[in-house]
Amino acid sequence: MNSPLRSVPLCHVTISDAFWSPRQEAIRTVTLPAEYRQLADTGRLGAFRLQWRPGDPDPPHIFWDSDVAKWIEAAAYSLATDPDPALERQVDEVVDLIASAQQPDGYLNVHFTVVEPEKRWANLRDWHELYCAGHLMEAAVAYQQATGKGTLLAALSRYADYIASVFGPEAGQKRGYPGHEEIELALVKLYRQTGEERYLSLARFFVDERGRQPHYYDQEAQARGDDHGTWHGRDYRYNQSHLPAREQETAEGHAVRAMYLYSGMADVAAETGDESLMAACRRLWANVTERRMYVTGGIGSSPEGERFTWDYHLPNHTAYTETCAAIGLVYFAQRMLNLEPKGEYADVLERALYNGVLSGISLSGDRFFYVNPLAVDYQAHFHEMDLFGRSAVVPERREWFGCACCPPNIARLLSSLGEYVYSRGDDEIYLHLYIDGQADLDLYGLPVGLVQETAYPWEERVRITVQPEREAEFALALRLPGWCRGPSLAVNGEPVAVGEVAREGYAYLRRVWRVGDVIELDLPMPVERVYAHPEVRADAGRVALRRGPLVYCLEQADNGPNLEDMRLPPGAGLRVEWEPDRLGGVMVIRGEGRRRDRAGWEGVLYHTDGNAEVPVPLTAVPYYAWANRGPGDMLVWVRE
Amino acid sequence: MNSPLRSVPLCHVTISDAFWSPRQEAIRTVTLPAEYRQLADTGRLGAFRLQWRPGDPDPPHIFWDSDVAKWIEAAAYSLATDPDPALERQVDEVVDLIASAQQPDGYLNVHFTVVEPEKRWANLRDWHELYCAGHLMEAAVAYQQATGKGTLLAALSRYADYIASVFGPEAGQKRGYPGHEEIELALVKLYRQTGEERYLSLARFFVDERGRQPHYYDQEAQARGDDHGTWHGRDYRYNQSHLPAREQETAEGHAVRAMYLYSGMADVAAETGDESLMAACRRLWANVTERRMYVTGGIGSSPEGERFTWDYHLPNHTAYTETCAAIGLVYFAQRMLNLEPKGEYADVLERALYNGVLSGISLSGDRFFYVNPLAVDYQAHFHEMDLFGRSAVVPERREWFGCACCPPNIARLLSSLGEYVYSRGDDEIYLHLYIDGQADLDLYGLPVGLVQETAYPWEERVRITVQPEREAEFALALRLPGWCRGPSLAVNGEPVAVGEVAREGYAYLRRVWRVGDVIELDLPMPVERVYAHPEVRADAGRVALRRGPLVYCLEQADNGPNLEDMRLPPGAGLRVEWEPDRLGGVMVIRGEGRRRDRAGWEGVLYHTDGNAEVPVPLTAVPYYAWANRGPGDMLVWVRE
């Protein structure tokens, strides 16, 4: 295994992109304040005062701590790139509040301090102590990096030390591991920030113990006197503890849990060079991305268990595709990409980011999807609510959720977007994402500035200006997106034969770079018709439209209701139009579709002459932008 | 309203049909004995001994009585056409057992005699006392007609008298009505058999009271101290008591309940000439058959509540389409047809009978479907069982069910099939179904024999020989099936212009009929492609194959798995082949379909060049015969 690439610290990347900057601005100005209010109003912040007493209403929930932690992390990323003294004061106060809740032994969890103190570590399978600890660790690292303030890092190091005393292979220690993974990747972050090997060891311990026999959750349940038959997870696939991590072949169970585990496995593999762990990561990656991933990068096919189901089972209306799961796939992809720079990882990262992640937040920045379906029949939602009091699909974003993992998760991803754009290798710089802005990298002591000028994902041209402090030989590895059939390259106006420099999805431009060298990359982005594998029953006979990295969809707002009745005939021409005033500015796809002729159907349910069609205009908008114009039908996979 | 037609008593109709006779034979020789064993083995028969005591296992369930009643009814119909002393003795014993369970006051219900005697009539909304009473009444009438023995009729008349003393508009009487309708139509049968007007009055009372305000179920729940919020039915649409019967516009709630109510409404309308009730029946008929009925005649779109949902909501994989509901639609259709002889009623009757009803029983006669989906993805069933411990669709017929309504219901319908073939009007004889056999009718004192010779539904020709006792003028009204585009007719070899004698789906041949007159009816039955209304989202872009009255389907046994991947291109030729050894002898439809080319899909989930197809042979078999060759995928609506 080669030494892994390193992401570039957030503070060295500036984004000034027409596509992303408004989203980041919305995170700063709308999302973070709105989420702070929600955290305060729902009692999540105040809970850290530890004043709840038995008999009081609204006991702090087992995962509340993590919601606050993710908000701190998101705010910290924002502070790292866009200093804001008022926000920093607000974060400082929250951090102080959290630190004040730490117990003398280092323990730091609201629920199990004030609500059920006697149950500390009693149910790792279902309760979220280690998960919350992980999120607090991530917050602590981000806060330290952004502000230089060590309050939270000190608290969490102390907590991590305490956890390391409780869990481990020694006699008297628990050989348990989290029912909701997260702390594994967080401990690696803590290790990287502090240099303390024991945190990496603990991460590795949690990965290694998972799924071993005798099974910790069996023993733990027995100790509690629980009847396993009533467990909501049904079997240990639910939390990926059905097998030791290295023996897992398929992506199973709760999709967010899976992504966090696989990310943690990749992190441990990156730090330890553990080839067997790396091999497991590759297998699980292949299973997810070749058989269990929606075209939007969403994952998790079933609402029941918020989970993976089986190969090629990708139903559209009932897709769960939790925002957090797509975010988790970005995390996993980023780690795999740094372990081995292959375009397939970056392609999936980009696919999820521009589609299944971004759909999770409204253009306004204050409404969120937990579930991101690929098809909505709005009347079905309406009728299901009427008949059954609930609906398989909720086709409107909400301000907040009782289980509020997604809103702060998308905030922390989008405010840390700069970390995903570049990586540094030994003497290579990788450009993974094309985002207008600049970066100041350090390549073995050589400062290298890069300026990206682009209107990606709307326009095909990317112009990169290279600014090494002094002329020097190194490689720039430019990602050649998997969706692009004919990229072209020029350096200082001289064409470069892409085929000669391309390897595994990247164009390697190795040369002596001089200040002001200019790379021009053209990524032709015609509208493409995408088809799913023949085993994907839900998409049989259907086509999805894609342009560049963006997957498109039909919405009722443009096409009327009942999109199933609409068809895009093979060969029908499609054109794009830039519409600056629609949905914050989008490239719209237009073409001529077909709908069935309604003549002759009055009072008739079945008809032998019933397939006459009439032409209708068809308008598709980017999937990420759907559900910003009121409720209605939506469809990604259109009948062809 | 004209005076309604009358069905022809079962004992006057002989069926010697190559299609139906083997099914009736299986009912007699396999189904009835198998069901008797189930009734005995599960304790349903023994329960009538009233020996269950608190603390004993397996308390008799609230609907057990009805299972036994339907078996008696089915056996009685069989005895009416095919005397069988051994079966008759068996029925006699069961009848005596039931009669022995009657209480001194006339009450006759096992559960509320031995298990919860204090709860008699306490929860009409959910418990099934009046429903069980109705089925016992139907059994009593059938038994009397078949055997001439009055034991059960006497018991049930006494029970009906007792019920009439409890329920009614007078002071001190309950103004309640059944939560599961059935007794309404049964009381009309009892009235017709006994001539006692008070049974008709009670039927009318139950119909009239339904859904009135103040709502009886509200009052009843209040009296019990029940919290309505926890009621499984959620609102009174579930049992069609949301509005008075005459004000109902759409078919709502539990589909079997709805069919039994509408049948009872039509019966009361037939006997009373009540035009407002008749108008409600017509409206509800139109809503069911124009917006809420599957192409198989199945009804009930949702497993949750086994119910109707909303207009054009006809999902195929999750179709509930309970066998009993299709049977109920046959009952409703027969009553509407006798009220006003229109082809639309007979068409639906035939559609349900040959498809959605008949699929409910295996060719062997001893395995049953409760739910009759129109599409099965067998691997989904397998994986759902594995992941969730249950499955939305159970793609194999079972020997019996805990809730065993369907097996005896299909037995009683198929053993009484002769009642559905003809009707008598004032001086008309209607032929609704083309079934080889003969009938002896009485037309105002004139005996008229009719002989049908046909290989329907496989062959197009029907030959009818008319045998009036003496020559006489009357009309023979021959149904012109709605599925048939170009029927032709001849009498004694002389062509008759169908257009000149056709009215509302029947060809009226009025003339002086002589012994031996021969009618030849040709019903061309090419394979037809059927399309669903554009609002039926589940069938968009899909085609169903139909030949004559039979709807076809694809099965994995003939076409391999993953039928969604299969396509029947528009215009592809289709031919039929008689296969005597397949599925008991069926006409198979064959053609050339398409499947996607698997080349290039290894390790690829989405592809821009992914819609290449290869030709594959396509074989369709009649829907009624599916699931007789082991488990596998099945599909009615094929992509076109």
Side-chain angles (χ1 to χ4, degrees), chain A residues 43-241:
Chain A
R44 281 164 166 81
L45 284 181
F48 282 99
R49 294 204 180 82
L50 305 181
Q51 290 171 346
W52 188 91
R53 290 295 172 271
D56 288 353
D58 304 326
H61 193 277
I62 53 168
F63 49 63
W64 276 10
D65 300 17
S66 69
D67 298 330
V68 179
K70 279 189 281 191
W71 179 84
I72 293 173
E73 191 185 343
Y77 294 143
S78 179
L79 292 173
T81 56
D82 294 81
D84 174 341
L87 176 61
E88 185 164 340
R89 274 195 304 279
Q90 201 173 39
V91 178
D92 290 347
E93 282 170 21
V94 176
V95 161
D96 290 345
L97 188 58
I98 292 176
S100 77
Q102 189 160 36
Q103 299 300 296
D105 58 2
Y107 188 72
L108 179 43
N109 180 293
V110 172
H111 179 91
F112 291 98
T113 298
V114 298
V115 183
E116 300 185 287
E118 74 287 3
K119 295 191 175 166
R120 190 191 285 191
W121 310 129
N123 186 345
L124 296 184
R125 188 191 67 189
D126 300 329
W127 300 338
H128 286 55
E129 285 161 290
L130 293 173
Y131 168 83
C132 287
H135 276 303
L136 285 167
M137 290 171 195
E138 287 200 89
V141 171
Y143 179 67
Q144 213 280 346
Q145 289 178 348
T147 66
K149 296 172 185 167
T151 329
L152 200 56
L153 193 66
L156 269 296
S157 297
R158 211 149 68 84
Y159 189 15
D161 291 338
Y162 167 70
I163 292 171
S165 74
V166 173
F167 294 93
E170 304 300 325
Q173 287 187 303
K174 294 177 189 292
R175 301 191 67 131
Y177 42 88
H180 195 315
E181 304 90 325
E182 151 66 21
I183 197 171
E184 300 87 344
L185 72 87
L187 283 164
V188 176
K189 281 193 178 180
L190 195 61
Y191 156 67
R192 288 176 180 159
Q193 183 66 24
T194 63
E196 298 290 350
E197 291 268 358
R198 61 183 182 277
Y199 302 139
L200 176 60
S201 298
L202 185 58
R204 184 172 189 159
F205 168 81
F206 284 138
V207 167
D208 287 350
E209 285 301 313
R210 191 162 211 90
R212 280 201 175 154
Q213 295 295 346
H215 204 287
Y216 184 79
Y217 297 152
D218 285 346
Q219 300 172 315
E220 188 196 58
Q222 199 170 15
R224 286 193 310 271
D226 275 10
D227 174 12
H228 188 278
T230 61
W231 182 46
H232 70 91
R234 289 184 45 88
D235 66 58
Y236 292 141
R237 286 176 295 186
Y238 173 72
N239 58 25
Q240 301 81 40
S241 68

Side-chain angles (χ1 to χ4, degrees), chain A residues 293 304 390 485 606 608, chain B residues 293 304 390 485 532 606 608:
Chain A
M293 178 186 71
E304 186 164 358
R390 57 183 162 57
R485 293 177 194 239
Y606 301 106
T608 49
Chain B
M293 178 185 72
E304 185 165 0
R390 56 181 163 58
R485 292 176 194 237
Y606 301 106
T608 49

Side-chain angles (χ1 to χ4, degrees), chain A residues 233-235 237 252 288-296 302 304-305 307-314 351 377 379-381 383-390 485 528-542 546 561-565 570 596-598 601-611 633 637 639-640, chain B residues 233-235 237 252 288-296 302 304-305 307-314 351 377 379-381 383-390 485 528-542 546 561-565 570 596-598 601-611 633 637 639-640:
Chain A
R234 289 184 45 88
D235 66 58
R237 286 176 295 186
E252 297 295 340
V288 171
T289 61
E290 294 174 11
R291 297 175 179 226
R292 302 187 177 197
M293 178 186 71
Y294 286 87
V295 72
T296 54
S302 171
E304 186 164 358
R307 70 181 288 159
F308 288 107
T309 52
W310 58 91
D311 286 351
Y312 304 115
H313 178 239
L314 297 163
R351 181 193 290 273
D377 178 353
Q379 67 160 11
H381 165 72
H383 286 294
E384 285 169 4
M385 291 302 297
D386 174 45
L387 292 177
F388 308 125
R390 57 183 162 57
R485 293 177 194 239
E528 300 258 22
R529 290 179 183 236
V530 179
Y531 303 92
H533 191 286
E535 284 296 320
V536 182
R537 285 141 167 80
D539 300 337
R542 294 170 185 269
R546 196 195 60 203
N562 190 7
L563 300 167
E564 282 298 325
D565 186 45
R596 250 166 340 132
D597 190 346
R598 296 298 173 113
W601 280 109
E602 183 60 37
V604 174
L605 186 51
Y606 301 106
H607 208 315
T608 49
D609 300 317
N611 60 347
D633 291 358
W637 290 97
R639 291 192 301 113
E640 192 175 57
Chain B
R234 288 184 46 88
D235 66 58
R237 285 177 295 187
E252 297 295 341
V288 171
T289 61
E290 294 173 11
R291 297 175 179 226
R292 300 186 177 198
M293 178 185 72
Y294 286 87
V295 72
T296 56
S302 171
E304 185 165 0
R307 68 180 292 160
F308 288 108
T309 52
W310 58 91
D311 287 351
Y312 304 115
H313 178 240
L314 297 163
R351 179 192 291 271
D377 178 353
Q379 67 160 12
H381 164 74
H383 286 294
E384 285 169 5
M385 291 302 297
D386 174 45
L387 293 176
F388 308 125
R390 56 181 163 58
R485 292 176 194 237
E528 302 257 21
R529 291 179 182 234
V530 179
Y531 303 93
H533 190 285
E535 284 296 320
V536 183
R537 284 140 167 80
D539 300 337
R542 293 170 185 269
R546 196 195 61 203
N562 190 6
L563 300 168
E564 282 298 325
D565 186 45
R596 262 190 305 149
D597 190 346
R598 295 298 173 113
W601 280 109
E602 185 60 36
V604 175
L605 186 51
Y606 301 106
H607 209 315
T608 49
D609 302 316
N611 60 346
D633 291 357
W637 291 97
R639 291 192 302 111
E640 194 175 55

